[in-house]
């Protein structure tokens, strides 16, 4: 363990590359709100011998000033959150990353934002939204499950704690985790609306992670994009300095490749996942 710790310290003190990653949210003036995310990105950087510079971008600024605020970053992360303030700025950030082939990572609300953006821009559902923000949305691609709709206490409608997730064999998520089944921690209320699943799949989105018990979408990805991955759970809760979460390790790797710095560090992913896991 001492040798591992020494190697970790060396990687942290002498990174071989640097990337700039934007966290697009509405709590950017309260940095402690994203403390776990910040640390998980640093862990991912250490695993890649890379210094991660995090730029906190207020999604309301994007609504006012446009996505030019993201022109200088090598990757975009949209984290979780509650409430409708700044939502359109987050949707614009997801579209910017998707259309400009900038690595994207959506977490919890960030996954729902990516789904809304894809529905509007690719499926042509211009009024697509979440019922969290528009209760009467004509195309509620994100909604509250029927089993939760009659629960009045907000805490009672949340999916909290660890839930199982089955990964689609051959997907990027399957490759990243090197496993067919995982367990991750959740803290959210709204879900991908299964009534729209076929339309998303027809337009090229891969539903790469599913909850086997509740039949809920837990992960999505876009295969013809350099790196566009989103999850309904919170992987940052499980990342540790000596055991960085694989989603953050691979997100930083994607940022390195986008920055053109991949030749400075060893970035090769394992060739495929073990089918027997």
């Amino acid at each position: 363990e001492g040798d591992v710790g020494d190697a970790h310290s060396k990687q942290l003190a002498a990174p071989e590359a640097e990337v700039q990653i934007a966290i697009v949210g509405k709590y950017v003036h309260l940095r402690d709100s994203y403390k776990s995310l910040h640390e998980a990105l640093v862990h991912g950087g250490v695993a890649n011998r890379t210094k991660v510079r995090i730029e906190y971008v207020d999604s309301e600024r994007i609504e006012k000033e446009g996505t030019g605020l993201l022109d200088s970053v090598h990757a975009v992360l949209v984290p979780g959150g509650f409430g409708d303030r700044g939502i359109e700025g987050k949707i614009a950030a997801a579209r910017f990353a998707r259309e400009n082939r900038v690595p994207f990572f959506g977490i919890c609300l960030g996954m729902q934002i990516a789904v809304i953006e894809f529905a509007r821009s690719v499926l042509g559902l211009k009024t697509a939204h979440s019922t969290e923000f528009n209760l009467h949305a004509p195309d509620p691609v994100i909604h509250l499950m029927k089993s939760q709709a009659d629960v009045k206490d907000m805490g009672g409608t949340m999916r909290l704690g660890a839930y199982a997730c089955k990964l689609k064999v051959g997907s990027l998520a399957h490759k990243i985790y090197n496993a067919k089944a995982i367990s991750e921690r959740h803290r959210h209320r709204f879900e991908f609306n299964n009534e729209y699943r076929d339309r998303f799949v027809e337009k090229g989105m891969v539903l790469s992670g599913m909850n086997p018990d509740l039949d809920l979408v837990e992960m999505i990805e876009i295969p013809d994009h350099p790196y566009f991955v989103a999850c309904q759970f919170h992987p940052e809760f499980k990342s540790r300095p000596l055991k960085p979460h694989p989603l953050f390790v691979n997100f930083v790797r994607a940022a390195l490749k986008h920055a053109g710095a991949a030749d400075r560090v060893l970035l090769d992913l394992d060739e495929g996942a073990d089918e027997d896991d």
Side-chain angles (χ1 to χ4, degrees):
E1 185 175 342
D3 291 341
V4 173
D6 291 343
H8 173 271
S9 298
K10 183 177 179 181
Q11 290 170 353
L12 190 60
E16 298 176 19
E18 181 176 308
V19 294
Q20 189 166 341
I21 294 177
I23 293 181
V24 179
K26 64 180 181 180
Y27 309 122
V28 295
H29 304 299
L30 301 171
R31 300 291 172 84
D32 283 351
S33 299
Y34 301 119
K35 190 173 189 298
S36 295
L37 272 179
H38 187 117
E39 292 177 351
L41 285 168
V42 171
H43 302 162
V46 171
N48 288 287
R49 294 184 295 285
T50 296
K51 182 173 185 176
V52 177
R53 290 192 178 276
I54 299 174
E55 180 175 339
Y56 292 91
V57 180
D58 190 330
S59 57
E60 289 186 290
R61 280 192 65 200
I62 292 178
E63 291 177 354
K64 297 172 184 175
E65 302 173 36
T67 54
L69 294 171
L70 302 173
D71 283 346
S72 64
V73 304
H74 303 123
V76 174
L77 189 155
V78 177
F82 296 91
D84 60 359
R85 181 166 59 85
I87 287 299
E88 293 300 326
K90 295 178 183 181
I91 293 172
R95 181 171 184 173
F96 169 87
R98 184 181 58 78
E99 292 185 340
N100 291 282
R101 301 179 64 76
V102 175
F104 175 86
F105 188 14
I107 296 176
C108 198
L109 177 61
M111 186 190 97
Q112 298 173 5
I113 289 298
V115 168
I116 293 167
E117 190 283 317
F118 194 92
R120 291 181 182 181
S121 302
V122 181
L123 272 62
L125 304 175
K126 302 302 182 184
T127 58
H129 220 315
S130 166
T131 55
E132 179 179 6
F133 312 123
N134 181 356
L135 186 60
H136 305 292
D139 284 298
V141 292
I142 303 294
H143 71 154
L144 196 63
M145 290 191 303
K146 291 180 181 178
S147 61
Q148 297 175 323
D150 294 328
V151 180
K152 301 303 180 185
D153 176 51
M154 181 179 290
T157 65
M158 294 187 78
R159 266 211 292 155
L160 291 168
Y163 283 82
C165 177
K166 183 178 180 180
L167 301 179
K168 184 178 179 64
V169 173
S171 67
L172 179 57
H174 178 216
K175 185 175 183 180
I176 288 171
Y177 277 97
N178 193 25
K180 293 179 181 178
I182 59 172
S183 176
E184 292 282 5
R185 291 169 61 184
H186 291 249
R187 187 176 184 274
H188 65 96
R189 301 175 64 217
F190 291 79
E191 308 282 355
F192 189 112
N193 187 340
N194 283 343
E195 293 183 9
Y196 290 86
R197 272 163 55 172
D198 289 346
R199 287 192 244 184
F200 279 87
V201 172
E202 287 170 5
K203 289 296 185 178
M205 180 177 282
V206 173
L207 311 182
S208 52
M210 299 292 301
N211 179 283
D213 302 312
L214 301 173
D215 192 33
L216 297 173
V217 177
E218 304 282 42
M219 294 191 73
I220 64 166
E221 57 191 62
I222 299 176
D224 60 353
H225 189 283
Y227 191 92
F228 196 104
V229 174
C231 57
Q232 187 61 78
F233 46 80
H234 288 271
E236 69 271 23
F237 293 160
K238 294 177 69 173
S239 188
R240 300 291 181 267
L242 300 183
K243 193 176 181 181
H245 196 288
L247 286 174
F248 287 94
V249 173
N250 284 272
F251 180 52
V252 173
R253 284 177 173 169
L256 273 166
K257 292 177 181 179
H258 186 70
D263 56 343
R264 284 185 252 167
V265 290
L266 298 175
L267 297 173
D268 291 338
L269 295 173
D270 294 335
E271 288 298 320
D274 186 351
E275 299 296 333
D276 296 323
D277 281 358

